[in-house]
């Protein structure tokens, strides 16, 4: 699959004056990962451990992470947000706990390199629970409830007046995650942009009240329109809760079965019938994953004229997806047999994160004027 091109979204000029990456003193192994002559941009991204990752995650965020990890100008933190996962899984904490290792296996399988990125467990980093206490005083409950992403998530989860406080306050926790690492770059999908904007508001308010302390983050958005995949059933986005996903860990047979079930054009009964490309799930996936765009354009023209069957298209898509996933399956098989190694990567990244975020907490305490013993 082709690498996704990304573009930084600009904000107003006043806030851009805050876009500075903090310099941190690194020692030992950490120092070897950063050139002393160059200040790296800090990137924070991550996922909630609520299940395995799917190919929608790949086009939406993982491909961007793979691109960034090859750029020496970035230092990347990948957060496993287990505390945030509990905001709508409080009654099934075992699900969240078990998903942490599954998420690490997915990360390593897709090709994320522990020598180039830091894997971090949210619940093990004290700063990420302290900073929200300070930020809660800088935003109103009404503003949180107006956040479009929060409103949509409340609706999708079926919450009404019984929505947990932690779920509504999710943007505050996310602001703590981003600012704790001094992240100046945050890869997000279009649906998550309002969350980052709320972080920017909190940073702006904090810096106005207490002086320039926090780094103003900027969004990194995929430019490709297909970055948000529909499910294999054609309904909404690909979602674990809807059961319409192709997972990164799916074997070749499972992938073929799921592709075979995909919606195409109900009026395209015979091969000779003209078909509709727009809204055709198979073509949506080929747009996202098939690298030969010239050939794909020819296939679309042929399908519209008639003379191209759905079976041939689904075979092409199946082969395309399995070519992408085959090396991931091999890497995952290795790491499933070496879980101690996987856990070691998570522990090392988390310890490094604790050292970095503790510095941020101290700066925040000093800026506010918290009494210190």
């Amino acid at each position: 699959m082709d690498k996704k091109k990304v573009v930084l979204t600009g904000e107003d000029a006043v806030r851009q004056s805050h876009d500075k990456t903090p310099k941190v003193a690194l020692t030992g192994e950490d120092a070897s990962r950063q050139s002393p002559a160059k200040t790296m941009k800090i990137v924070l991204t991550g996922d909630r451990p609520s299940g395995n990752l799917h190919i929608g995650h790949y086009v939406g965020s993982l491909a961007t992470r793979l691109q960034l990890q090859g750029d020496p100008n970035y230092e990347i933190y990948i957060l496993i947000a287990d505390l945030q996962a509990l905001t709508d899984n409080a009654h099934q904490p075992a699900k969240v706990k078990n998903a942490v290792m599954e998420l690490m296996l997915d990360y390593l399988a897709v090709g994320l390199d522990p020598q180039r990125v830091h894997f971090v467990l949210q619940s093990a980093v004290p700063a990420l629970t302290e900073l929200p206490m300070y930020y809660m005083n800088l935003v109103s409950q009404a503003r949180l409830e107006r956040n479009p992403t929060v409103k949509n998530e409340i609706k999708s989860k079926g919450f009404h007046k019984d929505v947990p406080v932690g779920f509504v306050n999710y943007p505050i926790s996310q602001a703590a995650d981003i600012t704790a690492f001094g992240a100046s770059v945050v890869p997000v999908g279009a649906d998550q942009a309002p969350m980052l904007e709320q972080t920017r508001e909190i940073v702006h308010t904090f810096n106005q009240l207490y002086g320039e302390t926090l780094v103003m983050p900027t969004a990194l958005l995929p430019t490709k329109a297909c970055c948000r995949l529909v499910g294999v059933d054609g309904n909404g986005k690909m979602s674990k809760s809807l059961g319409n996903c192709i997972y990164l860990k799916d074997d070749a047979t499972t992938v073929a079965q799921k592709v075979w079930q995909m919606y195409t054009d109900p009026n395209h009964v015979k091969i000779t019938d003209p078909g509709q490309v727009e809204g055709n799930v198979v073509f949506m996936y080929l747009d996202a994953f098939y690298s030969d765009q010239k050939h794909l354009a020819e296939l679309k023209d042929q399908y519209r004229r008639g003379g191209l069957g759905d079976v041939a298209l689904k075979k092409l898509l199946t082969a395309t997806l399995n070519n992408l996933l085959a090396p991931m399956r091999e890497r995952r098989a290795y790491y499933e047999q070496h879980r101690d190694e996987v856990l070691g990567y998570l522990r090392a990244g988390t310890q490094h994160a604790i050292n970095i975020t503790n510095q941020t907490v101290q700066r925040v305490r000093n800026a506010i004027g918290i009494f210190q013993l």
Side-chain angles (χ1 to χ4, degrees), residues 353-365:
I354 291 171
N355 297 337
I356 295 299
T357 58
N358 281 349
Q359 297 176 36
T360 301
V361 167
Q362 191 58 54
R363 288 195 296 271
V364 166
R365 291 174 181 168

Side-chain angles (χ1 to χ4, degrees), residues 96-373:
V96 176
K97 178 182 178 181
N98 295 335
V100 169
M101 183 59 75
E102 287 298 305
L103 197 51
M104 278 295 297
L105 289 171
D106 280 339
Y107 285 157
L108 294 168
V110 83
L112 290 171
D113 186 349
Q115 301 304 316
R116 297 181 178 181
V117 303
H118 305 284
F119 299 109
V120 181
L121 184 63
Q122 184 184 40
S123 60
V125 183
L128 303 186
T129 54
E130 179 174 347
L131 289 175
M133 293 298 296
Y134 303 132
Y135 298 167
M136 284 179 188
N137 303 316
L138 306 180
V139 59
S140 69
Q141 190 72 14
R143 174 63 183 92
L144 293 172
E145 294 173 355
R146 287 198 306 271
N147 186 303
T149 304
V150 173
K151 290 171 68 174
N152 290 338
E153 289 294 328
I154 288 175
K155 182 178 179 180
S156 69
K157 300 292 183 183
F159 290 132
H160 298 287
K161 291 184 178 180
D162 59 343
V163 58
V165 172
F167 193 84
V168 179
N169 289 355
Y170 185 101
I172 297 176
S173 175
Q174 190 171 77
D177 298 337
I178 294 168
T179 57
F181 292 93
S184 60
V185 178
V186 182
V188 293
D191 58 334
Q192 291 294 313
M195 300 287 273
L196 183 62
E197 183 55 33
Q198 188 128 46
T199 295
R200 289 176 60 85
E201 292 176 10
I202 290 172
V203 170
H204 180 69
T205 300
F206 188 99
N207 287 345
Q208 274 197 326
L209 283 174
Y210 306 119
E212 295 295 323
T213 307
L214 302 176
V215 176
M216 183 65 73
T218 307
L220 188 63
L221 296 169
T223 57
K224 196 166 183 177
C226 66
C227 63
R228 184 172 179 177
L229 282 183
V230 299
V232 296
D233 56 2
N235 294 322
K237 69 176 182 177
M238 185 172 285
S239 169
K240 290 174 281 190
S241 61
L242 296 175
N244 60 0
C245 306
I246 295 177
Y247 292 99
L248 301 180
K249 64 180 290 187
D250 282 347
D251 60 35
T253 300
T254 301
V255 170
Q257 291 172 343
K258 291 181 178 180
V259 170
W260 187 257
Q261 297 169 4
M262 284 185 177
Y263 168 86
T264 54
D265 179 358
N267 297 317
H268 187 251
V269 179
K270 300 177 182 178
I271 293 178
T272 55
D273 291 338
Q276 182 173 331
V277 171
E278 293 73 21
N280 188 315
V281 177
V282 175
F283 276 111
M284 290 181 184
Y285 278 59
L286 287 171
D287 280 334
F289 295 103
Y290 191 52
S291 60
D292 191 341
Q293 292 298 302
K294 180 180 178 181
H295 183 224
L296 180 56
E298 294 171 353
L299 292 176
K300 289 180 179 179
D301 288 340
Q302 185 179 358
Y303 193 79
R304 291 187 179 102
R305 292 193 309 267
L308 179 61
D310 292 330
V311 172
L313 285 174
K314 290 183 176 181
K315 285 183 177 178
L316 175 62
L317 178 56
T318 298
T320 300
L321 292 177
N322 278 325
N323 285 340
L324 172 71
L325 298 177
M328 298 184 197
R329 296 183 191 117
E330 292 180 10
R331 285 190 289 264
R332 186 182 180 93
Y334 169 83
Y335 285 114
E336 282 180 337
Q337 299 301 316
H338 297 81
R339 289 177 177 251
D340 287 345
E341 182 179 345
V342 176
L343 189 58
Y345 294 143
L346 183 56
R347 283 173 173 159
T350 300
Q351 185 56 57
H352 175 73
I354 291 171
N355 297 337
I356 295 299
T357 58
N358 281 349
Q359 297 176 36
T360 301
V361 167
Q362 191 58 54
R363 288 195 296 271
V364 166
R365 291 174 181 168
N366 293 339
I368 298 173
I370 298 296
F371 185 89
Q372 301 188 43
L373 296 176

